[in-house]
Amino acid sequence: MAEAVAGVGRFKSNYAVERKIEPFYKGGKVQLDQTGQHLFCVCGTRVNILDVASGTMLQSLEQEDQEDITAFDLSPDDKVLVTASRALLLAQWAWQEGSITRLWKAVHTAPVATMAFDPTSTLLATGGCDGAVRVWDVVQHYGTHHFRGSPGVIHLVAFHPDPARLLLFSSAADTSIRVWSLQDRSCLAMLTAHYSTVTSLTFSADGHTMLSSGRDKICIVWDLQSLQATRTVPVFESVEAAVLLPEEPAPELGVKSAGLHFLTAGDQGMLRVWEAASGQCVHAQRQLPGPGRELTHCTLARAAGLLLSVTADHNLLLYEARSLQLQKQFAGYSEEVLDVRFLGPKDSHVVVASNSPCLKVFELQTSACQILHGHTDIVLALDVFRKGWLFVSCAKDQSICVWRMNKAGEVACVAQGSGHTHSVGTICCSRLKETFLVTGSQDCTVKLWPLPEALPSKSTGPDGGPVLLQAQATQHCHDKDINSVAIAPNDKLLATGSQDRTAKLWALPQCQLLGVFSGHRRGLWCVQFSPMDQVLATASADGTVKLWALQDFSCLKTFEGHDASVLKVAFVSRGTQLLSSGSDGLVKLWTIKNNECVRTLDAHEDKVWGLHCSRLDDYALTGASDSCVILWKDVTEAEQAEEQAKREEQVVKQQELDNLLHEKRYLRALGLAISLDRPHTVLTVIQAIQRDPESCEKLEATVLQLRRDQKEALLRFCVTWNTNSRHCHEAQAVLGVLLRHEAPEELLAYDGVRASLEALLPYTERHFQRLSRMLQAATFLDFLWHNMKLPTLPMAPAAL
């Protein structure tokens, strides 16, 4: 181990957050602007605005009350955004600048549940949980209408597309659609054909037809001239949104005639196109497996030709409207991140396993996201092969998947395997070549899966699907769940860590037991081989990390510092240091040689389940239960270079200061000393001035020529000097100059002057008391000297 620890210069000392992948959408409304360039969505107390092209967040708007946003809407001219919060306040935003232009009370007695602009971007309708509908003029800033009579929550409001007709539609808990006349201030009609919640209202371009969708699995076409239903189309799924398509042929969507066609999104998780006249489904997307695929929202940006749909697990999918070709994918919320890995030969991508059957692959440079479907239950663990193109995943569905990323960054599933009888909680790839992988499961067994030689270069099996993998060896390893498996750098050893508080070492490929590592007081969460030495690291729920010798299975070192379970551990700096992550939300950097915790990184708010280091050892990746993935950059060299530059600058300035004092250029010397922000150096300059024969005049002239910020710094330094009886005279001399020559108003305007004066007063009083006592003692001594009567000395006899 001593060989690997040699060379302290390679030790890391710090990491800094380079990039953070955070949740930006946690459910609720989403909206595109007319150009399709910006995406608006709700995330708790904020409305986030994303740039569609790059995926970057442009603005994050939060009202002053910091309450959850309950509704928002963007005006048709894309200029005005209005948000409503739980505090019953409405805010009007100039969203491109990120500033509020107007804030007013909603007047509703319960939170606003929905809102919509009219086509002229002048009127805003709000529907509240109190059953009231209110209309506001956002240009003239006043309320125009108040409609009552709806029972329960108003969850839908929409204006007629023809502003001349002045019609407003609303739907509440009674499943009927009310038509309100703004001109007559009354309810014109109640459209009662749905038997469950109405989820969307959309209008034809000419304004003569309206389509309503509901959770009663039907869509209804309404004639707005007669306010009667003309067609009821059963769609056989609970519909969350329906969109009327432009009346023009679209062969890719099965739209061959010019009649009315509409698109539905619902709990089957696929977009479907329907012909209204015949009630037939003319096009349907391929249905993907697994839960969380249900569609909760769908909106069409006609001018941009884009369609946006949202899934129940908060993924946002952007399609080209005429062909439903997928253009972009966004992962709005990852819930609990369970594992993370770098991908690509240059670590250009990261793959994230969250509390979902889907995997998310992010390109670090452009924030582009791919959502991978293959598992049918939550993905628990990931690992990547040495070259970075091939990676593997395992899940609660008892299966494993092998994925390959091509040079364009596109990922496809190339192999699948199943055989465990319980959840597969850990997986590890071979280190030398892409030849096999090992899995560990809650069924207490480990399986070794060989990979076909052609797999890395071939995408599909003989039947066009992924290649099916077969386990070569199965070994019952522990008495409880296996939480971690690790393969040695030479592919000849396997380590397993279990909930039974032990780690075991096995010989591959026969899985023969070589030894047991015992010593942890609780279950093990992670095992990891050193890349350089015959050493194994284990992380445990007892809050410690231990290093073990592979030769005699003895414990070499124990690292204590986490307050809770240590979930992951990784070797860095060529095996001389460790990174560990824990349930306390902390990531710690340890130096093995001296057992020292060099740095604690605190950026997560919950359990850090995922930890991975880049192949060049210059980046680390963490993922936690707070739904955040953080990219950390090793800033050791940058900090050392910065420290060296600071030291060199200090040396140069110190030399310059000595030269100025030697030349008696006190003003420049004092200014330079203050810029160094070193009270003792400034004190040295003041003492040098006081040693001058004309010290009083020179001190006054020097201090008074300083800038105001320099005088403020000098006053702060005086507070420090004044606490010491040896330096109080210099402090009092400077204070005397300031008090004699600065007006009281100017002194009170100094930054932090009140705190400085409060600190100066008690010590100054103590110094004056000490000087008074000394003066009294000196006066008494002088009095004694003058009043002493010496006895008369006898005269010496005259010499004969």
Side-chain angles (χ1 to χ4, degrees), residues 17-70:
V17 176
E18 173 88 355
R19 176 88 188 282
K20 212 169 184 180
I21 301 174
E22 296 181 279
F24 62 84
Y25 171 69
K26 292 184 178 179
K29 182 177 178 179
V30 292
Q31 189 174 356
L32 286 167
D33 66 355
Q34 296 298 321
T35 62
Q37 295 176 352
H38 301 101
L39 174 66
F40 297 75
C41 55
V42 180
C43 187
T45 61
R46 299 175 178 272
V47 170
N48 292 324
I49 305 169
L50 273 73
D51 178 62
V52 171
S54 66
T56 54
M57 194 183 297
L58 301 176
Q59 296 278 2
S60 186
L61 309 178
E62 183 177 37
Q63 290 187 197
E64 293 172 2
D65 51 55
Q66 295 185 337
E67 293 280 348
D68 283 351
I69 301 294
T70 57

Side-chain angles (χ1 to χ4, degrees), residues 525 539-541 543-545 561-569 579-588 590 600-602 604-611 622-626:
W525 281 112
S540 167
T544 66
V545 175
H562 284 279
D563 294 330
S565 301
V566 186
L567 302 175
K568 280 286 192 296
V569 65
L579 272 177
S580 65
S581 66
S583 295
D584 48 11
L586 301 178
V587 178
K588 289 181 178 285
W590 309 84
T600 298
L601 309 174
D602 186 6
H604 287 289
E605 296 175 1
D606 210 338
K607 300 181 186 71
V608 184
W609 287 108
L611 172 66
T622 56
S625 297
D626 58 5

Side-chain angles (χ1 to χ4, degrees), residues 513-542:
L513 181 63
L514 299 178
V516 179
F517 304 95
S518 299
H520 281 291
R521 299 188 306 277
R522 292 194 179 177
L524 274 65
W525 281 112
C526 184
V527 293
Q528 201 70 255
F529 284 99
S530 167
M532 306 299 290
D533 302 296
Q534 293 189 5
V535 170
L536 181 76
T538 58
S540 167
D542 61 13

Side-chain angles (χ1 to χ4, degrees), residues 638-666:
E639 285 187 349
Q640 288 174 349
E642 188 179 340
E643 192 70 28
Q644 180 66 23
K646 279 184 181 177
R647 282 198 295 268
E648 290 173 1
E649 186 182 359
Q650 296 278 8
V651 169
V652 170
K653 284 188 175 180
Q654 186 65 48
Q655 183 62 50
E656 187 181 349
L657 185 64
D658 294 342
N659 294 340
L660 291 171
L661 288 175
H662 183 70
E663 297 166 9
K664 297 189 177 181
R665 296 167 64 186
Y666 296 127

Side-chain angles (χ1 to χ4, degrees), residues 320-374:
E320 199 277 312
R322 289 184 58 83
S323 62
L324 290 188
Q325 289 291 320
L326 188 61
Q327 303 285 312
K328 286 268 183 182
Q329 300 179 69
F330 303 96
Y333 182 52
S334 297
E335 295 190 52
E336 195 169 4
V337 177
L338 300 179
D339 210 354
V340 289
R341 286 292 185 274
F342 283 103
L343 290 184
K346 296 182 179 178
D347 298 325
S348 56
H349 294 67
V350 296
V351 58
V352 177
S354 61
N355 205 13
S356 161
C358 305
L359 291 173
K360 301 174 181 76
V361 176
F362 296 92
E363 187 179 356
L364 289 174
Q365 192 172 359
T366 64
S367 300
C369 173
Q370 291 177 69
I371 297 163
L372 309 180
H373 304 279

Side-chain angles (χ1 to χ4, degrees), residues 154-155 280 338 394 398 477 480 528 544 551 582 627 684 743:
I154 305 286
H155 53 258
Q280 297 293 315
L338 300 179
C394 60
Q398 305 172 17
C477 295
K480 292 187 178 179
Q528 201 70 255
T544 66
Q551 290 92 343
S627 189
T684 307

Side-chain angles (χ1 to χ4, degrees), residues 70-72 84-90 105-116 124-136 145-158 168-174 178 180:
T70 57
F72 79 91
S85 74
R86 284 197 181 277
L88 307 182
L89 289 176
L90 295 171
K105 289 183 179 179
V107 193
H108 289 275
T109 58
V112 174
T114 182
M115 63 172 66
L124 174 75
T126 58
C129 295
D130 56 0
V133 176
R134 292 183 177 271
V135 182
W136 310 86
H145 297 77
H146 180 198
F147 297 121
R148 279 177 276 186
S150 303
V153 177
I154 305 286
H155 53 258
L156 200 58
V157 290
L168 174 66
F169 298 80
S170 72
S171 181
D174 62 351
R178 286 175 168 77
W180 307 92

